[in-house]
């Protein structure tokens, strides 16, 4: 930080970022030296904020929050701001966006309420870290949120970015006006907060649209990815190590529910709890059924909860499931379980389905209860501890072609 009587030159810098912003013209670069700046930064013109070192150039939002500030860095509508090589922390939201923001090489650490909120406008976040976000009230503490707080469209793009130890959800997108793109993103160790049932790596809902390439979601407390009435496209994803909670009955790696439409390609869903994949309609027919297409996927090693229940590879109830070129192995109770769910599978291998712990029965490769339709083409079901295929009370057509059930 500079002296209180600085003039903004290299030899006599301003003492605060606010002073530098007041002197800057639209399009200027404000170079921020090493130091801690206990202020909320609110640019009112297009500027670039360029820190000298991400670890040592710190914007530390004050306590109590400045009333007019909605974040340590707040960007209003119509303003274009780029921030590079700075650390953002403090007793407020990290970055609040109603304009257009680019964050490059930014570390958002231990902010309160949330890391980044895109209420309106657009954010591009690259090469950045969002970590250890604190909850200020139930349901807060998210890493990055693209939410319905504003009235206009909102969009966020995350590239080469890690969000870890956020609360409630690492990344959130809500409402039909919200668009989110993820590329080379790691969401890790999402924690619950005291009043939230979540602890989810990626939570999307209410008509939002999300696409992702090379996304890893690891150790969500409650869920890995939850798509609730939203659109999800993932390519080259890993969803692993969801912790789960026996009291809540959760732990799935991927949930597609309430009219959501999901396409997941080239993915590994491994070592989650309760269910690897769950497709379910919690509205009980009041809305469109959820639809999931899984192509070139591995669903492996789903653990039962500590109560000894489930551990299913893929469960579909009152939804629509398509599997293509899928390996479902080393799960418990059922490899694939279908309840009133039309399902199509091509080039499917289900193997080594185990009984749940402390049970002498179970371990079904594919189980279907009241299926409206079931089509299996080029499927191998083997090494199931119970039955290879079990169908009960079929409501429609079953088509089996090139099906092998053995051992």
């Amino acid at each position: 930080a500079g002296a209180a009587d600085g003039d903004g030159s290299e030899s006599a810098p301003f003492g605060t970022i606010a002073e530098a912003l007041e002197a800057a013209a639209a399009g200027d670069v404000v170079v921020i030296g090493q130091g801690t700046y206990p202020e909320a930064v609110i640019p009112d013109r297009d500027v670039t904020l360029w820190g000298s070192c991400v670890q040592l150039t710190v914007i530390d939002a004050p306590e109590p929050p400045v009333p007019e500030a909605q974040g340590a860095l707040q960007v209003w509508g119509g303003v274009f701001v780029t921030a590079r090589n700075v650390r953002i922390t403090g007793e407020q939201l990290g970055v609040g966006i109603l304009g257009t923001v680019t964050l490059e090489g930014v570390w958002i650490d231990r902010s309160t309420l949330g890391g980044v909120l895109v209420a309106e406008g657009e954010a591009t976040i690259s090469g950045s870290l969002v970590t250890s976000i604190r909850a200020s009230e139930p349901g807060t503490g998210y890493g990055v949120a693209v939410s319905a707080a504003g009235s206009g469209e909102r969009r966020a793009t995350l590239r080469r970015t890690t969000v870890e130890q956020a609360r409630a959800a690492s990344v959130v997108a809500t409402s039909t006006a919200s668009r989110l793109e993820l590329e080379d993103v790691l969401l890790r160790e999402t924690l619950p907060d005291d009043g939230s049932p979540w602890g989810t790596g990626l939570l999307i809902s209410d008509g939002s649209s999300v696409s992702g390439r090379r996304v890893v979601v690891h150790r969500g407390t409650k869920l890995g990815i939850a798509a609730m009435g939203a659109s999800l496209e993932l390519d080259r994803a890993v969803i692993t190590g969801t912790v789960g909670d026996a009291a809540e009955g959760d732990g799935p790696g991927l949930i597609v529910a309430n009219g959501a439409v999901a396409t997941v390609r080239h993915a590994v869903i491994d070592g989650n709890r309760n269910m690897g994949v769950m497709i379910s309609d919690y509205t009980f027919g009041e809305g469109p059924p959820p639809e999931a297409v899984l192509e070139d996927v591995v669903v492996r090693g789903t653990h039962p909860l500590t109560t000894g229940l489930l551990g299913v590879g893929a469960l579909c109830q009152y939804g629509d499931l398509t599997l293509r070129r899928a390996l479902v192995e080393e799960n418990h109770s059922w490899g694939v379980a279908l309840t009133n769910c039309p399902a199509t599978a091509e080039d499917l291998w289900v193997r080594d389905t185990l009984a749940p712990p402390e049970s002498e029965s179970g371990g079904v490769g594919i189980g279907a209860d009241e299926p409206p339709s079931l089509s299996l083409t080029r499927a191998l079901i083997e090494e199931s501890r119970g039955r290879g295929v079990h169908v009960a009370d079929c409501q429609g057509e079953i088509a089996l072609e090139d099906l092998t059930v053995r051992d």
Side-chain angles (χ1 to χ4, degrees), residues 99-344:
T100 302
V101 173
T102 298
L103 304 177
E104 297 179 353
V106 171
W107 179 15
I108 301 171
D109 172 49
R110 296 186 60 79
S111 293
T112 304
L113 177 65
V116 178
L117 172 62
V118 186
E120 194 172 307
E122 183 171 356
T124 301
I125 305 170
S126 63
S128 294
L129 174 63
V130 181
T131 184
S132 301
I133 304 303
R134 296 173 289 176
S136 59
E137 57 187 55
T140 66
Y142 53 82
V144 177
V146 187
S147 80
S151 59
E153 293 186 350
R154 55 200 70 88
R155 180 185 298 272
T157 301
L158 278 64
R159 298 189 181 98
R160 305 182 307 283
T161 291
T162 294
V163 182
E164 64 180 3
Q165 296 184 342
R167 293 188 174 271
S170 288
V171 175
V172 182
T174 65
S175 91
T176 56
S178 297
R179 300 291 180 266
L180 175 64
E181 297 181 15
L182 308 174
E183 186 174 312
D184 300 303
V185 167
L186 171 60
L187 309 178
R188 180 167 59 193
E189 296 183 13
T190 311
L191 307 172
D193 73 287
D194 293 338
S196 169
W198 299 107
T200 302
L202 173 61
L203 174 60
I204 63 174
S205 65
D206 302 323
S208 58
S209 178
V210 176
S211 63
R213 289 173 56 85
R214 298 181 297 277
V215 175
V216 175
V217 180
H218 178 58
R219 287 188 64 81
T221 300
K222 299 287 187 177
L223 305 168
I225 296 177
M228 317 285 284
S231 173
L232 172 67
E233 292 191 11
L234 284 179
D235 189 11
R236 294 170 175 80
V238 176
I239 308 168
T240 181
T242 304
V243 177
D245 185 330
E248 298 291 340
D250 49 26
L254 170 65
I255 283 185
V256 181
N258 298 1
V261 178
T263 301
V264 179
R265 298 184 176 93
H266 308 108
V268 175
I269 302 170
D270 184 24
N272 300 290
R273 288 195 178 273
N274 197 10
M275 286 162 277
V277 177
M278 180 179 182
I279 300 99
S280 184
D281 180 15
Y282 295 119
T283 70
F284 301 102
E286 294 185 4
E291 301 177 15
V293 176
L294 309 179
E295 296 184 346
D296 303 295
V297 300
V298 175
V299 182
R300 175 193 293 133
T302 309
H303 305 292
L305 295 168
T306 55
T307 54
L309 296 176
L310 296 180
V312 179
L315 171 67
C316 180
Q317 51 187 13
Y318 305 99
D320 194 319
L321 173 63
T322 299
L323 292 166
R324 298 190 183 99
R325 299 178 299 281
L327 170 62
V328 181
E329 66 174 352
E330 299 175 3
N331 300 289
H332 291 77
S333 303
W334 295 273
V336 179
L338 309 169
T339 300
N340 200 3
C341 172
T344 300

